[in-house]
Amino acid sequence: MPMATVERAAAVLGCPSWELGLCVGCGQLMQRYGRNAAMYGNVCRAALNGR
């Protein structure tokens, strides 16, 4: 993944680039590490909670 993409995603998510990782459910880039991090993104978490 190009570095500009990672930096852009970090700016949109409001976290440092080293806290980014992939959602366990769908593989989308999200805040995966650090404070307030989660294993699943918002869409996957909503699908899991809606079961």
Side-chain angles (χ1 to χ4, degrees):
M1 187 174 309
M3 189 53 139
T5 304
V6 172
E7 291 171 354
R8 195 173 324 132
V12 169
L13 293 171
C15 66
S17 59
W18 58 83
E19 290 184 359
L20 294 178
L22 301 178
C23 171
V24 173
C26 67
Q28 183 177 358
L29 198 59
M30 58 172 273
Q31 184 180 4
R32 181 76 160 75
Y33 306 101
R35 183 175 285 182
N36 299 323
M39 290 181 63
Y40 291 92
N42 292 336
V43 174
C44 290
R45 192 173 24 239
L48 288 170
N49 289 335
R51 286 187 188 175

